[in-house]
Amino acid sequence: MAPRCWRWWHWSAWPRTRPPPAGSTPSSRRLLSAQEQPPQICVVGSGPAGFYTAQHLLKHHAQARVDIYEKQLVPFGLVRFGVAPDHPEVKNVTHTFTQTARSDRCAFHGNVVVGRDVTVPELREAYHAVVLSYGAEDHRALGIPGEELPGVFSARAFVGWYNGLPENRELAPDLSCDTAMILGHGNVALDVARILLTPPEQLEKTDITEASLGILRQSRVKTVWIVGRRGPLQVAFTIKELREMVQLPGTRPMLDPADFLGLQDRLKEMPRPRKRLTELLLRTATEKPEREEAARRAEASRAWGLRFLRSPQQVLPSPDGQRVAGIRLAVTRLEGVGETAWAVPTGDTEDLPCGLVLSSVGYKSRPIDPSVPFDPKLGVIPNTEGRVVDVPGLYCSGWVKRGPTGVIATTMTDSFLTSQALLQDLEAGLLPAGPRPGHAAIEALLSSRGVRPISFSDWEKLDATEVSRGQRTGKPREKLLDPQEMLRLLGR
């Protein structure tokens, strides 16, 4: 087995990315600084945070070498497994990521689970700097009785199911009920509601998996309630997502005008994005639609609604105790003002019948390695501007850095800031001195442990297969769901 520490190995035992300076001797080569050797940088996670970090490092340091490690066999993280299938324009960012991965100074290594196949200390020994960008891989539990009942799912698992995340491919939710309840007022909640209510024929030309589309075709869900513990001024979804719901074919919105009393007078004091969002909520709830829109809503066979000031208290079981039959909601009131107001229970409750509960109260990150500081309450790695606290040479970007908030553009900006901090530290001589072996050391370790990484060219073969399969039915791709099938296609 390869040793776990290379600090005392002669650096020339590893392949070099460029020849030593002319006329140099072995002894002088041993004294080359980290700045004189191309910096070896490792990024853990190949979602937007990982790729944007790599992109910025490659652009702003002409010699930097970046290796991206990913636990899935395929790249792109949340873009592939989180973005809704009816939002293909958002996925165009993978074209930029592909160009980054094809750089001769960048390499993708899929099918490598950091923390299991290789540890963070081992990565830190092999690289001048390590950036953790592995996102938020878990969901926040409700922590209420009945949460374990059949028919209760996390929105994360549901999204993973229709987007082809291998670990969720066998979810198979029962959509034979009339009413679904989504807990949470963020964009993911609206995504899930939209997929549940969109006519299946409109999804047939997207990259939604055929298996999930087959179940959605048989769905009997007619009503979707989207429930939040706070009020209209605290919703976390964006106007784009709300507008899509309001205009969703075959559906009508159900908003109670009483929930919006007094908001008209407060519009002037709101920031522009919140003001525009609130105006759309007000129009939808209180204004009589024009004739054409009124006719469309009258013919709609499905409906969705927003419920405010309600917090889940208990999932109610069916009489036989075998599945969900409803949910008990605590009625809340707000203390504080504006977007920072918090919900306080009033003591009253309300029971609503439903056959499906989807929890969308937030994603959270997991600790990746015992050596890495982690704040379990906030679900982030403690850091200062992306520098992991008390661990020189270790950085973080994306959701594991700041929490699961914002859109892809937010992650881009955040990742650029982390890479800037890393490059500043490199220039200031704050990163480990001396040459580092980079991937050559990790490759030897993985090989000794029976781990066979997936390269980006391997992914491009899988990509071609998906696109080819999708073309047969007019889809952009038919995603491969089974890791074993992927490996077989690669001759593994």
Side-chain angles (χ1 to χ4, degrees), residues 11 29-40 125-128 431-437:
W11 75 279
R29 288 201 296 270
R30 283 196 295 271
L31 298 176
L32 287 176
S33 69
Q35 286 74 14
E36 291 172 299
Q37 183 209 23
Q40 304 288 321
E125 287 287 349
Y127 291 90
H128 292 107
L431 294 184
R436 292 289 167 113

Side-chain angles (χ1 to χ4, degrees), residues 52-263:
Y52 279 129
T53 300
Q55 175 186 320
H56 196 266
L57 290 169
L58 294 169
K59 179 179 179 180
H60 293 278
H61 195 295
Q63 285 81 42
R65 165 81 192 192
V66 180
D67 288 312
I68 302 174
Y69 293 91
E70 166 61 52
K71 74 171 189 175
Q72 300 290 340
L73 274 71
V74 299
F76 308 140
L78 199 65
V79 178
R80 177 179 171 94
F81 298 123
V83 174
D86 57 348
H87 285 174
E89 71 286 352
V90 180
K91 304 185 184 191
N92 289 337
V93 70
T94 59
H95 300 318
T96 301
F97 296 165
T98 295
Q99 294 309 308
T100 298
R102 287 175 175 169
S103 165
D104 58 6
R105 293 187 289 120
C106 183
F108 170 81
H109 309 285
N111 198 32
V112 177
V113 182
V114 173
R116 185 193 71 187
D117 300 331
V118 62
T119 68
V120 171
E122 287 167 343
L123 292 174
R124 293 182 62 216
E125 287 287 349
Y127 291 90
H128 292 107
V130 174
V131 186
L132 301 174
S133 308
Y134 60 88
E137 302 175 295
D138 210 346
H139 71 281
R140 295 190 181 277
L142 294 171
I144 60 175
E147 187 173 9
E148 75 290 341
L149 282 168
V152 181
F153 303 96
S154 70
R156 181 191 181 280
F158 192 79
V159 170
W161 167 69
Y162 63 66
N163 269 336
L165 184 61
E167 67 189 63
N168 299 131
R169 67 186 187 277
E170 297 178 359
L171 195 71
D174 182 355
L175 305 184
S176 62
C177 60
D178 176 82
T179 302
M181 195 79 55
I182 302 175
L183 305 173
H185 275 170
N187 277 345
V188 174
L190 294 198
D191 276 348
V192 168
R194 195 176 66 253
I195 295 299
L196 280 171
L197 296 174
T198 296
E201 57 271 18
Q202 293 193 19
L203 296 173
E204 290 173 350
K205 303 305 180 185
T206 73
D207 68 356
I208 192 170
T209 68
E210 191 57 42
S212 58
L213 187 57
I215 291 178
L216 288 167
R217 287 192 183 103
Q218 304 300 316
S219 172
R220 293 166 59 186
V221 174
K222 300 298 181 186
T223 304
V224 175
W225 287 107
I226 308 164
V227 181
R229 58 190 170 86
R230 298 194 294 170
L233 293 184
Q234 291 81 36
V235 295
F237 49 73
T238 58
I239 189 170
K240 175 181 180 294
E241 300 281 343
L242 177 62
R243 188 180 295 116
E244 285 182 308
M245 287 300 300
V246 173
Q247 299 172 351
L248 189 61
T251 71
R252 67 182 185 281
M254 299 183 297
L255 275 66
D256 186 348
D259 288 330
F260 300 89
L261 292 176
L263 292 193

Side-chain angles (χ1 to χ4, degrees), residues 431-492:
L431 294 184
R436 292 289 167 113
H439 178 65
I442 303 304
E443 183 179 40
L445 261 184
L446 294 175
S447 177
S448 73
R449 295 168 184 174
V451 180
R452 299 184 64 185
I454 299 297
S455 68
F456 200 77
S457 61
D458 288 332
W459 152 244
E460 290 183 311
K461 295 173 186 174
L462 298 176
D463 178 44
T465 299
E466 290 187 346
V467 171
S468 175
R469 291 183 180 183
Q471 287 175 342
R472 299 171 196 168
T473 54
K475 299 175 67 176
R477 71 176 61 244
E478 185 59 52
K479 290 178 181 175
L480 295 163
L481 307 181
D482 183 357
Q484 295 305 314
E485 182 187 8
M486 296 184 204
L487 293 172
R488 284 196 301 271
L489 289 169
L490 295 172
R492 301 291 180 90

